[in-house]
Amino acid sequence: SPASGMYHHIHERLLCVVNYSPEPCRFFIQLGRDGLHGKSWRFADRLSMFSVEQDGDQITGQGLQLDMPAWGRYIFTITQVS
């Protein structure tokens, strides 16, 4: 099952996600309401070219949806799109 952690720096938001499983998975990460509501956000992986954009209302509601490969890992930089 995946593990995640969100880290805040003064000028940057990071989200680290790891799938500790030999199977791919799809899941939602609950990130709370920490200023995400009402805006669109880009989650850009620092380890690859992968990125995803999602609406802040969806993120604060059901969570950030991710599909992860077996043993996958992401370190997302979170930036506001609109």
Side-chain angles (χ1 to χ4, degrees), residues 5 26 30 35 40 43 45 57-58 62-63:
R26 173 178 287 172
Q30 298 298 320
S40 292
F43 293 76
D45 183 32
D57 294 335
Q58 179 183 357
Q62 70 184 58

Side-chain angles (χ1 to χ4, degrees), residues 14-79:
L14 299 175
L15 174 66
C16 301
V17 184
V18 178
N19 180 6
Y20 289 110
S21 170
E23 302 294 328
C25 63
R26 173 178 287 172
F27 59 94
F28 291 90
I29 298 176
Q30 298 298 320
L31 297 179
R33 300 186 181 278
D34 188 25
L36 300 173
H37 182 72
K39 303 167 188 154
S40 292
W41 297 90
R42 177 178 293 120
F43 293 76
D45 183 32
R46 290 183 165 198
L47 304 175
S48 71
M49 299 298 291
F50 176 75
S51 70
V52 61
E53 289 185 19
Q54 284 196 5
D55 178 71
D57 294 335
Q58 179 183 357
I59 295 168
T60 59
Q62 70 184 58
L64 173 68
Q65 181 179 343
L66 288 175
D67 293 315
M68 292 198 65
W71 306 114
R73 73 254 185 240
Y74 296 124
I75 300 176
F76 290 116
T77 299
I78 305 169
T79 54

Side-chain angles (χ1 to χ4, degrees), residues 13 23 80:
R13 292 182 190 206
E23 302 294 328
Q80 184 179 335

